[in-house]
Amino acid sequence: MRVYNFSAGPAVLPEEVLKEAAAEMLDYNGTGMSVMEMSHRSKAFEEIITTAEQDLRDLMNIPDNYKVLFLQGGASQQFAMIPMNLMKNKKAAYIITGQWAKKAYQEAQNYGDAVAVASSADKTFSYIPDCSDLDIPEDADYVYICENNTIYGTKFKQLPNTKGKTLVADVSSCFLSEPVDVTKYGIIYGGVQKNIGPAGVVIVIIREDLITEDTLPGTPTMLKYKTHADNKSLYNTPPAYGIYICGKVFKWLKKMGGLEAMKERNEKKAKILYDFLDQSKLFKGTVEKKDRSLMNVPFVTGNEELDAKFVKEAKAAGFENLKGHRTVGGMRASIYNAMPIEGVEKLVEFMKKFEEENA
Ligand SMILES: *Cc1c(COP(=O)(O)O)cnc(C)c1O
């Protein structure tokens, strides 16, 4: 039996995709082998990766002057790769809206002068700071954001005013959840294990002029965007099976109507949960309303014992992974693209019942 999996990542995938992959496990498309077993230089795999890229380009409307790279090392490796490739002036502006942004900021300090230009640490990252007129250094190579804060449940509803500087965004937990204007960014990247596919793949969408030989001295070959761009993500063995699953999820998203339709569906889903939280006498959301994420919804009862009881009883009822991040406690429901609306409706029913029983 499948449970409702509210994990923040690795997270729920569309059942249809998993079934298709299962059916193709022993014999992919007449090749007589699994995608896991085939050469990444084979005709069959070449078709898998080029189709995946094209479908992603279609979904996000990615302009021709952007490259799509399928890399490894997770989102965390990008924390270093970005400054190594982009910090020509050894200066960059970071907006600190949570743990992932902070980690990226700290990593960048190994390579140059990373400047924190805004932060919401004063209220445990429960809001997005006003970024309309930040003090961005004249010689900053880029401005960095974590667009959706997986742990704290906030999302930039408006991109920062970068004052003409290149915008770099970690979109790990909001990737493909709604349409984006790619032209506003220099780099959009994310680990796929939150909203797209299995762990082991990170997708980097990068404007071509940012791909240069001119990286920081000592940058390893594998950490140069140029290496991967010049070789169409096949410089070395890519995370082939993961890319194959991502490709299936792209097809699924197209079938669902694309990102406009996903946005509508995600808004509807999140509203069910937020509306309940807003009228509940027991549970409450922890994020400023205007900055609420559609993907990650943290909430608390205000009583740690009751939180633990809720998580335990929810698990027994088939709602998995509702415990909040270990650094913040409480609960968090991650309701990514693949979480069906019924999953959220049933969770709210369960929360209502729990509230009555524990009034
Ligand atoms: C999970 C997460 C990361 C870290 O991803 P890894 O692939 O484990 O390195 C980074 N940023 C955000 C926003 C995340 O949600």
Side-chain angles (χ1 to χ4, degrees):
M1 191 199 87
R2 301 242 326 146
V3 296
Y4 288 114
N5 181 6
F6 293 92
S7 170
V12 58
L13 287 169
E15 205 167 299
E16 242 178 274
V17 165
L18 296 175
K19 281 184 176 152
E20 256 182 57
E24 292 170 352
M25 184 59 78
L26 297 180
D27 177 5
Y28 172 75
N29 204 13
T31 57
M33 61 180 87
S34 159
V35 174
M36 268 184 255
E37 302 169 298
M38 66 179 53
S39 164
H40 58 293
R41 312 265 175 219
S42 65
K43 193 113 204 71
F45 187 72
E46 195 190 314
E47 197 182 311
I48 288 170
I49 193 168
T50 46
T51 306
E53 175 175 339
Q54 191 53 54
D55 285 335
L56 181 63
R57 284 184 176 277
D58 295 346
L59 281 166
M60 291 181 73
N61 212 354
I62 300 175
D64 288 343
N65 64 325
Y66 284 75
K67 294 275 193 222
V68 173
L69 309 176
F70 296 97
L71 308 178
Q72 306 193 51
S76 301
Q77 183 158 285
Q78 294 305 309
F79 298 169
M81 205 159 159
I82 288 159
M84 284 174 142
N85 284 267
L86 264 53
M87 258 192 184
K88 320 279 182 198
N89 295 330
K90 298 224 172 180
K91 184 156 292 182
Y94 279 73
I95 298 171
I96 316 296
T97 52
Q99 251 195 60
W100 295 117
K102 195 168 153 196
K103 281 192 169 167
Y105 162 67
Q106 287 168 338
E107 186 71 15
Q109 284 168 352
N110 292 326
Y111 304 100
D113 188 9
V115 184
V117 291
S119 167
S120 50
D122 60 334
K123 291 184 189 162
T124 41
F125 302 117
S126 57
Y127 69 103
I128 299 289
D130 177 4
C131 298
S132 57
D133 185 20
L134 299 173
D135 199 2
I136 293 165
E138 259 316 305
D139 56 344
D141 293 299
Y142 58 88
V143 176
Y144 182 100
I145 61 168
C146 178
E147 193 161 332
N148 185 81
N149 295 282
T150 325
I151 296 173
Y152 302 95
T154 59
K155 159 106 204 289
F156 280 83
K157 300 291 163 81
Q158 208 176 348
L159 294 175
N161 175 1
T162 65
K163 313 225 165 135
K165 306 296 178 205
T166 296
L167 179 64
V168 173
D170 174 357
V171 300
S172 294
S173 50
C174 59
F175 226 152
L176 302 179
S177 63
E178 56 183 281
V180 286
D181 180 353
V182 175
T183 64
K184 295 213 159 91
Y185 304 78
I187 294 182
I188 301 178
Y189 81 92
V192 304
Q193 72 274 24
K194 308 285 159 71
N195 205 20
I196 302 180
V201 183
V202 55
I203 296 175
V204 176
I205 300 161
I206 177 169
R207 214 176 52 223
E208 272 169 358
D209 61 282
L210 299 172
I211 304 170
T212 64
E213 282 290 4
D214 177 27
T215 55
L216 296 188
T219 300
T221 307
M222 277 293 287
L223 298 187
K224 294 178 182 173
Y225 290 122
K226 191 161 192 326
T227 303
H228 300 285
D230 285 352
N231 292 282
K232 300 189 160 162
S233 304
L234 293 167
Y235 170 72
N236 71 325
T237 319
Y241 195 79
I243 293 168
Y244 154 78
I245 300 289
C246 290
K248 286 199 178 296
V249 172
F250 300 153
K251 288 266 184 247
W252 177 77
L253 288 168
K254 279 183 143 178
K255 209 172 90 186
M256 296 289 286
L259 302 193
E260 276 297 344
M262 287 321 289
K263 179 178 193 222
E264 232 174 83
R265 187 167 176 264
N266 287 329
E267 281 174 345
K268 194 168 146 195
K269 247 164 36 184
K271 188 173 187 305
I272 296 169
L273 190 45
Y274 284 127
D275 281 354
F276 170 72
L277 289 173
D278 287 343
Q279 59 74 57
S280 170
K281 292 198 169 56
L282 179 65
F283 297 101
K284 74 171 203 299
T286 57
V287 169
E288 265 187 34
K289 283 186 189 174
K290 67 174 179 36
D291 300 322
R292 283 171 162 175
S293 166
L294 292 180
M295 298 282 100
N296 311 99
V297 183
F299 55 95
V300 294
T301 64
N303 172 331
E304 274 179 37
E305 270 167 45
L306 212 48
D307 286 351
K309 183 170 185 243
F310 175 79
V311 171
K312 190 167 164 230
E313 289 182 13
K315 184 177 167 70
F319 305 99
E320 288 275 353
N321 292 313
L322 281 165
K323 196 165 186 289
H325 190 268
R326 60 199 149 79
T327 59
V328 290
M331 281 76 71
R332 171 179 51 173
S334 294
I335 50 176
Y336 295 120
N337 282 342
M339 172 58 65
I341 289 181
E342 307 83 73
V344 179
E345 286 169 346
K346 291 204 172 130
L347 172 65
V348 167
E349 260 171 54
F350 179 80
M351 288 168 78
K352 275 185 190 153
K353 192 168 133 269
F354 186 89
E355 180 167 340
E356 279 160 21
E357 289 166 2
N358 293 277

